[in-house]
């Protein structure tokens, strides 16, 4: 009995232990990149809210510890528990160092946002990244266990390398940061080649996110071409609508510009060397130098327009800085020279962008008149700047450019009149535009080849449009008068043209034009008034002789009246 009773128990015991042995022998898979990306998108990072993401990581970490009975604190004291390979009996144990690293990284990114206004927080930022790097190393060590598969090991290595690269990036140790970023990029590239199509997108996106950081590190090491690569990526991210990547690129480009602006201490303009002291003006001048390259590299018209809009906004800020300097400084010569320099740069690049179509609507001619008026006004202001009165070459160049832009303005005004079928005015304006073009091209001071090419192209266009408007003014004279006659008839109400037959489609509509209601007030004759003016001048005859005289009746009549006899 005892033997029979104990054997089944042993067999049952062995059977009950087999699943536990199997659990220990199976390998764990932890898709680190997929887990953190999904958590970041759902808990704040879609809007750049790192504090919300950090709080989520804390709550997630507590839930995992509680479910695994791996709590480190009680009601009375804290007792730290170190996660070892022997304790790795569930894949959820790997979530603990992952969430701790993400929490520290999220806190660091939050401090990075706040460090723009509070520089002291940068020290705390670096300490949080150090902690995140330490925990990421512990995660990588745990994943090296035989209990984890190859994919988990590679993902842990890539994640740890990315965290280390971020740390050295903030410490401005560019060589180490670039090495770790490249290690992470290489691992993610290999993983994207080995996975299915559904998971490839996430890993390729991670590879693209690492490229700007690598190129920025290369620039700081000494690769001058890296900034051009960053600009290309910035333009491509704008067209693709990748907001997060675009923001990172903007930050990297701004940091690069700041480093370049330090070396830009003066500029030469009109054979004068002008010191540049303000950082905004330095950044604007650097952007002007690269603006043409950015336009050429832009993928479509919308990207080109975005480049010009950004450049014009920076020009506006730079001019405002110069104006403030003029008010503050006693020596105005240098400041006004810088202002004229920034104005000339803005004008030379303001209308290089095509304005025919913006992808959604056709630009009307009247929309282009105002920009040319502003350019002409700015050119006139430049000629009035103090210190340039004796510079005849500059005045001639400005005059030639002003004539060229006046020709463009006159052409678009003529287009407006042509669209309104006012052919006589359009022909006259086309002729005026041709005169401006001839005067501008004859001026030897006009040396801008691009502007000369635009004027020649505009002259060809004006010639065709002018003869077209002239022919329409002749052919359309009779028809226009007939159309005007019919239009006048159609304007009349039905009550006003009862003797004329005109097809009026409004009569069968919901608002027929039959009579005006309420009708207009009309003058009518007023009621006559008669005044008797002669009555006051007439003297009537006396009628006293015709009045009857009353005669008395004595005492009898008096008594009768007193007793009631009066009638």
């Amino acid at each position: 009995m005892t033997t029979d009773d104990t054997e089944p128990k042993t067999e049952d015991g062995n059977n009950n232990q087999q699943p536990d042995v199997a659990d220990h022998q199976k390998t764990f898979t932890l898709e680190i990149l997929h887990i953190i990306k999904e958590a970041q998108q759902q808990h704040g990072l879609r809007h750049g809210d790192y504090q919300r993401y950090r709080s989520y990581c804390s709550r997630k970490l507590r839930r995992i510890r509680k479910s695994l009975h791996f709590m480190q604190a009680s009601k009375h004291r804290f007792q730290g528990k170190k996660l070892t390979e022997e304790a790795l009996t569930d894949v959820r144990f790997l979530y603990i160092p992952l969430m701790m690293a993400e929490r520290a990284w999220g806190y660091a990114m939050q401090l990075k946002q706040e460090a723009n206004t509070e520089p002291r927080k940068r020290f705390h930022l670096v300490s949080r990244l150090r902690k995140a790097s330490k925990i990421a190393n512990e995660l990588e060590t745990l994943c090296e266990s035989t209990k984890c598969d190859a994919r988990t090991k590679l993902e842990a290595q890539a994640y740890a390398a990315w965290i280390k690269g971020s740390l050295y990036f903030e410490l401005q140790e560019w060589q180490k940061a670039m090495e770790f970023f490249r290690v992470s990029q290489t691992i993610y590239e290999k993983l994207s080649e080995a996975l299915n199509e559904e998971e490839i997108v996430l890993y390729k996106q991670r590879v693209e996110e690492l490229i700007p950081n690598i190129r920025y590190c290369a620039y700081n090491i000494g690769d001058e071409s890296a900034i051009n690569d960053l600009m290309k990526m910035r333009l491509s991210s704008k067209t693709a609508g990748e907001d997060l990547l675009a923001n990172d690129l903007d930050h990297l480009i701004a940091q690069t510009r700041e480093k370049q602006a330090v070396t830009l201490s003066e500029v030469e303009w009109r054979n004068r060397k002008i010191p540049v002291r303000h950082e905004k003006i330095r950044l604007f001048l650097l952007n002007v130098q690269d603006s043409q390259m950015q336009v050429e590299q832009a993928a479509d018209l919308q990207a080109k327009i975005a480049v010009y809009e950004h450049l014009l906004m920076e020009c506006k800020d730079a001019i405002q800085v110069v104006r403030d300097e003029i008010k503050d400084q006693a020596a105005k010569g240098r400041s006004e020279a810088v202002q004229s320099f920034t104005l000339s740069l803005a004008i030379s690049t303001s209308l290089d962008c095509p304005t025919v179509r913006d992808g959604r609507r056709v630009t009307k001619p009247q929309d282009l008149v105002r920009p040319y008026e502003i350019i002409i006004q700015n050119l006139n202001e430049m000629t009035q700047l103090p210190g340039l009165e004796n510079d005849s070459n500059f005045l001639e160049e400005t005059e030639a450019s002003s004539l060229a832009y006046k020709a463009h303005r006159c052409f678009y005004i003529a287009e407006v009149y042509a669209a309104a079928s006012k052919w006589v005015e359009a022909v006259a304006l086309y002729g005026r535009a041709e005169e401006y073009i001839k005067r501008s091209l004859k001026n030897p001071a006009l040396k801008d080849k691009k502007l000369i090419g635009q004027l020649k192209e505009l002259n060809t266009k004006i010639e065709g449009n002018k003869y077209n408007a002239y022919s329409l003014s002749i052919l359309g004279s009779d028809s226009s008068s007939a159309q005007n006659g019919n239009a006048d008839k159609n304007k009349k109400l039905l009550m006003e043209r009862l003797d004329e037959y005109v097809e009026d489609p409004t009569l069968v509509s919901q608002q027929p034009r039959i009579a005006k209601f309420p009708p207009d007030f009309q003058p009518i004759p007023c009621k006559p008034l008669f005044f008797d003016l002669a009555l006051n001048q007439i003297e009537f005859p006396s009628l006293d002789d015709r009045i009857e005289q009353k005669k008395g009746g004595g005492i009898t009549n008096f008594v009768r009246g007193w007793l009631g006899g009066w009638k």
Side-chain angles (χ1 to χ4, degrees):
M1 289 291 295
T2 306
T3 305
D4 294 338
D5 291 337
T6 55
E7 288 180 359
K9 290 180 181 181
T10 305
E11 292 177 0
D12 292 341
N14 293 335
N15 292 335
N16 292 335
Q17 292 177 357
Q18 285 177 0
D20 296 335
V21 174
D23 288 341
H24 287 287
Q25 291 178 352
K26 71 177 182 180
T27 57
F28 299 134
T29 301
L30 185 67
E31 301 176 3
I32 297 177
L33 183 60
H34 177 74
I35 292 170
I36 62 174
K37 280 294 184 181
E38 185 177 1
Q40 290 172 0
Q41 290 296 316
Q42 294 180 0
H43 299 280
L45 261 62
R46 182 175 297 179
H47 308 289
D49 191 351
Y50 289 97
Q51 183 177 4
R52 177 185 169 190
Y53 180 63
R54 179 168 65 95
S55 300
Y56 161 76
C57 292
S58 298
R59 296 192 303 271
K60 179 73 173 177
L61 187 61
R62 179 176 176 81
R63 288 195 299 268
I64 294 173
R65 288 183 180 277
K66 191 173 182 180
S67 63
L68 294 173
H69 303 288
F70 199 73
M71 301 295 292
Q72 297 187 120
S74 62
K75 294 182 179 179
H76 305 287
R77 63 190 180 90
F78 174 83
Q79 183 178 0
K81 293 183 180 180
K82 188 175 181 180
L83 186 60
T84 59
E85 182 179 352
E86 290 75 15
L88 193 61
T89 58
D90 194 316
V91 70
R92 290 177 294 175
F93 280 103
L94 296 177
Y95 277 80
I96 295 176
L98 178 61
M99 287 296 106
M100 290 176 65
E102 281 293 291
R103 180 176 61 179
W105 173 83
Y107 194 8
M109 294 301 102
Q110 178 188 345
L111 293 171
K112 188 175 183 179
Q113 289 180 339
E114 299 173 355
N116 295 328
T117 56
E118 301 178 40
R120 292 290 303 173
K121 290 190 175 182
R122 184 167 183 81
F123 298 100
H124 196 185
L125 181 158
V126 174
S127 67
R128 291 296 93 189
L129 281 178
R130 290 185 188 277
K131 183 176 181 180
S133 177
K134 180 180 178 182
I135 299 172
N137 288 335
E138 295 176 359
L139 175 63
E140 181 182 1
T141 303
L142 282 174
C143 292
E144 291 295 332
S145 170
T146 56
K147 298 179 181 180
C148 299
D149 59 0
R151 176 179 176 178
T152 304
K153 295 177 182 179
L154 290 175
E155 290 232 23
Q157 292 174 7
Y159 179 76
W162 172 67
I163 293 290
K164 292 176 185 177
S166 301
L167 172 62
Y168 288 115
F169 189 89
E170 294 297 330
L171 294 173
Q172 298 184 1
E173 297 183 15
W174 310 117
Q175 186 64 40
K176 292 183 178 180
M178 187 171 64
E179 291 176 359
F180 282 112
F181 281 140
R182 281 181 173 173
V183 169
S184 179
Q185 184 186 40
T186 303
I187 295 174
Y188 284 125
E189 285 178 349
K190 297 298 181 181
L191 285 172
S192 64
E193 295 174 0
L195 299 176
N196 54 34
E197 295 181 357
E198 296 179 356
E199 297 175 322
I200 286 177
V201 178
L202 184 62
Y203 289 87
K204 287 187 175 180
Q205 181 181 359
R206 187 63 156 187
V207 172
E208 293 176 357
E209 291 175 357
L210 291 169
I211 294 175
N213 292 335
I214 294 173
R215 297 305 297 158
Y216 183 72
C217 293
Y219 169 78
N220 286 280
I221 292 172
D223 187 358
E224 296 295 336
S225 63
I227 183 61
N228 298 332
D229 297 336
L230 290 175
M231 297 302 299
K232 289 181 182 179
M233 288 184 284
R234 180 66 182 95
L235 293 173
S236 61
S237 65
K238 281 184 178 179
T239 56
E242 301 173 358
D243 295 336
L244 293 177
L245 181 59
N247 293 334
D248 294 338
L249 287 169
D250 284 337
H251 181 68
L252 293 177
I253 292 171
Q255 289 181 346
T256 306
R257 292 299 188 204
E258 290 175 0
K259 291 181 178 295
Q260 291 177 339
V262 173
T263 60
L264 183 64
S265 59
E266 62 180 13
V267 293
E268 185 175 353
W269 182 74
R270 309 301 305 176
N271 297 324
R272 305 184 215 177
K273 290 186 178 180
I274 306 169
V276 183
R277 297 183 178 88
H278 291 278
E279 184 179 356
K280 283 188 177 181
I281 300 177
R282 294 175 182 173
L283 294 175
F284 168 69
L285 296 177
L286 291 172
N287 289 332
V288 170
Q289 295 174 4
D290 298 336
S291 60
Q292 191 61 33
M293 181 194 65
Q294 296 178 29
V295 172
E296 294 174 357
Q297 295 175 353
D300 54 7
L301 184 57
Q302 283 297 112
K304 294 180 180 180
I305 293 174
V307 172
Y308 281 109
E309 287 179 348
H310 184 68
L311 184 64
L312 290 175
M313 290 299 296
E314 289 186 346
C315 178
K316 182 179 178 181
D317 296 339
I319 292 175
Q320 186 61 41
V321 169
V322 175
R323 288 174 178 171
D324 295 340
E325 183 183 4
I326 292 175
K327 295 178 182 179
D328 297 338
Q329 294 183 356
K332 300 182 180 180
R334 293 191 300 269
S335 300
E336 287 164 352
V338 173
Q339 181 181 4
S340 60
F341 177 60
T342 54
L343 277 170
S344 63
L345 288 173
I347 291 170
S348 64
T349 58
S350 60
L351 283 179
D352 292 338
C353 182
T355 54
V356 177
R357 186 180 298 274
D358 61 0
R360 292 175 295 179
R361 63 180 181 87
V362 177
T363 304
K364 298 179 181 179
Q366 54 265 31
D367 298 336
L368 300 176
V369 175
R370 180 60 179 165
Y372 283 107
E373 289 180 351
I374 295 174
I375 291 176
I376 295 169
Q377 181 181 357
N378 289 334
L379 289 171
N380 294 333
E381 291 179 358
M382 288 173 61
T383 58
Q384 298 174 2
L385 290 173
L388 298 176
E389 299 87 352
N390 299 326
D391 194 344
S392 58
N393 293 331
F394 173 74
L395 296 177
E396 290 178 1
E397 290 176 6
T398 307
E399 178 64 22
S401 300
S402 179
L403 290 172
Y405 291 119
K406 285 181 179 179
H408 284 84
R409 180 187 63 177
C410 200
F411 168 74
Y412 286 111
I413 295 175
E415 290 287 295
V416 174
Y417 278 104
S421 300
K422 296 182 179 180
W423 311 116
V424 178
E425 293 85 349
V427 172
L429 288 168
Y430 284 134
R432 178 64 63 86
E434 285 182 328
E435 293 179 5
Y436 284 137
I437 292 174
K438 290 179 182 178
R439 291 171 57 187
S440 180
L441 292 177
K442 287 181 181 180
N443 195 332
L446 185 63
K447 299 178 181 179
D448 189 350
K449 295 182 179 180
K450 189 171 185 178
L451 185 58
I452 293 173
Q454 291 177 355
L455 289 176
K456 292 180 179 180
E457 183 180 354
L458 181 64
N459 193 24
T460 304
K461 189 183 296 185
I462 289 174
E463 186 177 0
N465 291 2
K466 183 179 70 172
Y467 288 117
N468 183 36
Y470 183 71
S471 60
L472 289 174
S473 65
I474 297 174
L475 297 175
S477 59
D478 296 334
S479 60
S480 62
S481 61
Q483 291 177 357
N484 291 334
N486 292 332
D488 293 338
K489 291 180 181 179
N490 290 333
K491 290 180 180 178
K492 293 183 179 180
L493 298 173
L494 181 61
M495 294 296 295
E496 298 175 357
R497 52 179 177 82
L498 293 176
D499 297 335
E500 300 177 2
Y501 175 74
V502 177
E503 293 184 1
D504 189 358
T506 61
L507 295 177
V508 294
S509 63
Q510 295 181 354
Q511 297 180 349
R513 302 179 72 254
I514 299 175
K516 189 172 182 180
F517 184 83
D520 295 333
F521 290 100
Q522 297 181 358
I524 59 173
C526 61
K527 182 179 180 180
L529 298 177
F530 299 96
F531 299 94
D532 193 353
L533 302 178
L535 179 62
N536 298 330
Q537 305 297 328
I538 297 175
E539 293 182 3
F540 294 97
S542 178
L543 301 176
D544 295 338
D545 56 343
R546 297 185 182 184
I547 298 175
E548 296 182 356
Q549 297 292 332
K550 293 183 179 181
K551 298 179 179 180
I555 191 67
T556 308
N557 291 334
F558 176 78
V559 174
R560 186 185 302 170
W562 180 68
L563 295 174
W566 292 102
K567 295 183 181 178

